[in-house]
Amino acid sequence: MSTPLVIKIGGAIMESPQALIELFKVVKTLQNTNQAIIIVHGGGCVADELLAKAGYTSKKVNGLRVSEPEHMAIITGALAGTVNKALVASANTVGISAVGLALHDGQMIKCTPAEEFLGCVGVPKANNNAFINGLVASNNVAIISSIGSLDNGQLVNVNADDAAVAISQLVNGNLILLTDVAGVKGASGEYLESLNYNDAQQLIEQGVIDGGMIAKVNAAFTAATQLRRSIAVASWKTPEQLITLQQGNVFGTRIEPNC
């Protein structure tokens, strides 16, 4: 089995059905070259919409969602239900055998409670790769939502970037974080080809890297350092570049390990 490629996508791509289809066409092309693919997704925009319809207000701290206990049924339904099953259905339309999962299926990922002010949020850790390895070996694409559970069975929301890092560690895979921008911007507004830890911290202090990109960049550094390989942060709007990535070409911003 090839080294799996873990692709993290955000909920924003759900607003562009054609972009989603184009991404899955590329995934199918990669599969045809015997590249194992795993997709991890969030879905914050869908969760926000459903929470608003229910009369709830979402809060975020440093780009991280505060998941109140009374919000969890809606958040779980949005991510593990609506978004996950829509992604599986889209993958099926281009001939991909896709399986929709949550993080705790097959005991893949174990979660511990995050900081209390975040509410029902979990910190993911790789646990058991037998289930996911079997799926991938059978030429399936696992599509994994960022919903997990604690040891006591409580469902928790997990930052999708952190979830993708944990899945990458689980399968010792390469990771690419797809977002709605072409990479990480530098102080002059240009997209950076590569980024090291010290430069990233400086850009965060300057406010150049802010909001949700802070969590994304920090997750990428965690993954790069633990996996001992660079991680790409790039746009889902040009999915064909995933193919050139296999050939060693630059795609988005490469996050370098913090050695």
Side-chain angles (χ1 to χ4, degrees):
M1 185 175 67
S2 65
T3 299
L5 175 62
V6 179
I7 302 173
K8 186 268 174 178
I9 59 176
I13 195 173
M14 297 296 294
E15 299 174 1
S16 180
Q18 189 55 44
L20 197 54
I21 293 298
E22 293 304 318
L23 172 61
F24 281 129
K25 286 180 179 178
V26 171
V27 169
K28 182 63 176 176
T29 298
L30 291 171
Q31 263 199 311
N32 291 340
T33 66
N34 295 317
Q35 173 64 63
I37 303 284
I38 298 169
I39 293 174
V40 180
H41 69 86
C45 57
V46 177
D48 285 341
E49 181 181 345
L50 294 178
L51 285 168
K53 287 182 178 178
Y56 293 121
T57 301
S58 297
K59 295 187 296 183
K60 290 187 178 180
V61 178
N62 293 329
L64 301 175
R65 179 187 300 278
V66 177
S67 300
E68 305 288 356
E70 61 270 24
H71 295 184
M72 278 306 298
I74 294 173
I75 293 172
T76 300
L79 273 59
T82 302
V83 176
N84 187 265
K85 299 315 171 190
L87 289 171
V88 170
S90 293
N92 288 345
T93 66
V94 300
I96 293 173
S97 175
V99 181
L101 303 170
L103 293 168
H104 51 292
D105 287 332
Q107 295 188 324
M108 294 185 295
I109 301 295
K110 283 200 170 185
C111 291
T112 54
E115 295 178 272
E116 188 174 352
F117 74 88
L118 289 173
C120 298
V121 172
V123 177
K125 183 178 180 180
N127 181 57
N128 186 347
N129 63 12
F131 176 60
I132 188 69
N133 285 345
L135 282 176
V136 172
S138 301
N139 205 35
N140 296 292
V141 171
I143 301 180
I144 306 172
S145 72
S146 55
I147 293 294
S149 67
L150 304 179
D151 284 345
N152 64 4
Q154 178 186 343
L155 293 175
V156 287
N157 190 14
V158 176
N159 177 272
D161 295 321
D162 292 339
V165 170
I167 291 294
S168 298
Q169 293 167 341
L170 183 71
V171 299
N172 193 29
N174 294 315
L175 172 63
I176 182 165
L177 304 175
L178 293 185
T179 183
D180 54 358
V181 294
V184 182
K185 286 185 177 181
S188 301
E190 79 286 7
Y191 285 110
L192 302 172
E193 287 193 1
S194 65
L195 184 63
N196 63 44
Y197 182 80
N198 289 334
D199 288 344
Q201 295 311 302
Q202 184 176 358
L203 291 172
I204 290 172
E205 290 174 6
Q206 294 171 347
V208 176
I209 297 176
D210 60 4
M213 187 57 77
I214 294 176
K216 193 176 301 297
V217 166
N218 285 338
F221 275 116
T222 298
T225 300
Q226 294 187 7
L227 295 172
R228 309 291 297 175
R229 59 181 70 130
S230 63
I231 303 301
V233 176
S235 174
W236 47 259
K237 297 176 183 177
T238 54
E240 65 279 358
Q241 293 189 58
L242 284 168
I243 297 172
T244 68
L245 189 68
Q246 281 190 313
Q247 303 162 353
N249 296 328
V250 174
F251 177 29
T253 301
R254 303 295 307 194
I255 305 296
E256 304 297 340
N258 182 26
C259 300

